[in-house]
């Protein structure tokens, strides 16, 4: 299997660290190309690195994850939402999200989500 590239987008540093550690521990074939704490940084990273998938928080300063996705005419990567708020699940589905995980992230649920990206 070829290496998959990922960008982690979350305004909370601790959230980014946890996701990066889980990916490193369970998915050594995934390369985290970058991390962003807001929509502007995330957009630039996505344009520069063209990831296979992103792990995307919803609520962030300066805009939410849905606003980030609206910047793309078509979304050329898979999206896994990672948020503390289940009320965003319907919007995530409407945005064609591959999956929706609630914080704190359950390791088995993350594994299932990553397997969807890999298939």
């Amino acid at each position: 299997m070829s290496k998959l590239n990922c960008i982690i987008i979350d305004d909370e540093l601790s959230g980014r660290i946890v996701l990066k550690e889980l990916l490193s521990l369970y998915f050594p074939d995934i390369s985290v190309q970058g991390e962003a704490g807001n929509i502007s940084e995330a957009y630039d990273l996505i344009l520069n690195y063209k990831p296979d998938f992103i792990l995307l928080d919803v609520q962030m300063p300066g805009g939410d994850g849905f606003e980030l996705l609206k910047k793309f005419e078509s979304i050329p990567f898979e999206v896994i939402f990672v948020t503390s708020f289940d009320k965003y699940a319907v919007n995530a589905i409407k945005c064609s999200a591959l999956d929706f995980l609630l914080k704190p992230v359950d390791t088995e649920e993350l594994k299932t989500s990553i397997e969807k990206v890999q298939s």
Side-chain angles (χ1 to χ4, degrees):
M1 180 181 305
S2 62
K3 197 166 191 86
L4 289 173
N5 296 313
C6 169
I7 292 176
I8 299 172
I9 305 161
D10 191 328
D11 62 317
E12 297 176 12
L13 177 60
S14 61
R16 295 193 308 266
I17 290 170
V18 167
L19 288 170
K20 193 171 183 178
E21 287 177 354
L22 289 172
L23 289 174
S24 174
L25 184 62
Y26 295 105
F27 297 96
D29 57 329
I30 291 177
S31 172
V32 176
Q33 296 175 299
E35 303 173 31
N38 62 54
I39 300 306
S40 177
E41 290 174 2
Y43 185 69
D44 290 343
L45 281 175
I46 290 169
L47 291 179
N48 286 330
Y49 290 103
K50 298 175 180 33
D52 297 301
F53 73 102
I54 62 173
L55 297 171
L56 178 61
D57 190 12
V58 175
Q59 291 188 331
M60 290 178 277
D64 64 30
F66 300 112
E67 291 175 46
L68 171 65
L69 297 178
K70 288 178 187 170
K71 293 178 177 269
F72 296 91
E73 191 171 310
S74 65
I75 300 172
F77 46 83
E78 298 289 353
V79 179
I80 299 172
F81 278 97
V82 182
T83 183
S84 298
F85 305 98
D86 62 357
K87 66 182 181 181
Y88 297 115
V90 172
N91 279 348
I93 292 167
K94 289 180 180 179
C95 288
S96 301
L98 183 67
D99 215 339
F100 187 92
L101 303 175
L102 286 174
K103 294 177 186 177
V105 174
D106 178 85
T107 303
E108 291 306 313
E109 289 181 8
L110 178 63
K111 287 179 181 179
T112 300
S113 295
I114 299 301
E115 288 167 2
K116 289 179 185 178
V117 174
Q118 292 174 325
S119 62

